[in-house]
Amino acid sequence: MTHIATRLSVVKPSASMAVSQAAKELAATGVDVIDLGLGEPDFAAPAHVTEIAFAEARANRMLYTASLGTPDLRRAVCEKFRRENGLEYSGDEIAVANGAKQIIFNALMATVDEGDELILPAPYFVSYPEMAKLFGGVPVTPACPAESGFRLTPEVLEAAITPRTRWLFLHMPGNPSGAVYSRAQLEALGAVLDRHPQVMILSDEIYEHITFDGRDFVSFGAACPQLRDRTLIVNGVSKAYAMTGWRVGYAAGPRDLIKAMATVQSQSCTSVSAPAQRAAQAALEGPQDEVQSFREAFERRRDLVVEGIRQINTLTLDPPEGAFYAYIGCAALIGAHTPSGTVLEDDVAVAKYLLDVAQVAAVPGTAYGLSPYFRISTATSEAQLSEAVSRIARAVAQLDR
Ligand SMILES: Cc1ncc(COP(=O)(O)O)c(C=O)c1O
């Protein structure tokens, strides 16, 4: 039997990918499953982006690049931060990796020692605690309930910080909650962080462009400039430009951290593939009108789902402020009996019931550290979403409470 390293024994595979896999397996047996497990825009990437990658490949510009990314892409990233966030960075303060996920992975590998604590406000993105544990870090996951808009408050942050705290992670708009922080809310968190110089801040802003109801997006870096030398701003092209499979993420942060991340990258994947970097550069530098039309489509879908779920009086959902998920409260279903006589003990059982009976794949809240909820992705057509909501309503109506 293969020896698997001990460090992996504490790490779980991605829950959303597992749900999606289960949905695919069911679909392969002929079942009509609606897979709302994974968060992937269903739009095509802008045409000019794909074209330029082809042209790059045909011109045989397919060599290794600098580990931190091509100088052109890093320039485009600097320009993006200047234009959209009012932040000034130079090329050596920028890292490019295979998706925001690899940026985070590199940053943690470069900084986390055994026993270091990472504050991951719950609900959190599924990969954060697992990556933290992979490097011997200890996830600290204060609950940020619906009553506080799923946002971390200064009081909860202060209580979570210890001398061992290495990182605070923020993600905005949040996955799964959609929560967006205002400038004032970020400043209030910044005031707490001012008192704790050992804490670095990772602000995951990958859903930056997907905010609703005319809400402004404020980068953590813009709200708390005094924390610049311990803030890593993470972003990428996956969500804004419907480019998940291109695998390009980027970050801006202090030079010493970026340099350490470059060392990790140069000894692992070397660099992101050259045509993908060229495509990401084109996405950042080109026309931004598709970003806007994607955003509008996500807002219509959000409205449709909120409207539909609100008709189901045993489920709760406040309108998400951004991103493309609905984090649906299902406390009233816990303890209910299914038609086949089993009891829904927790949100894992609720998600399983929805897959079995409604044939809708959703991810249980347990995966995000705040229960009882389930998450559906709204990154699919309005027709599919309407059908999914109707199926959920019918399945829930069959429960005996
Ligand atoms: C909060 C958050 N960060 C990062 C990622 C991953 O982004 P990328 O595709 O750039 O690796 C996701 C994807 O679901 C996400 O929800």
Side-chain angles (χ1 to χ4, degrees), residues 39 98-102 104 125 128 171 173-175 204 206-207 234-239 244 247-249 325 375:
N98 287 286
K101 259 175 143 170
Q102 197 192 19
I104 300 168
F125 173 45
Y128 296 158
H171 46 119
N175 169 11
D204 183 342
I206 191 108
Y207 297 101
V234 177
N235 210 319
V237 295
S238 287
K239 315 288 179 175
T244 48
R247 309 307 302 130
V248 185
Y325 307 98
R375 186 196 81 168

Side-chain angles (χ1 to χ4, degrees), residues 35-53:
D35 181 4
L36 304 181
L38 269 190
E40 260 198 312
D42 55 329
F43 308 116
H48 72 276
V49 164
T50 312
E51 282 313 312
I52 206 144

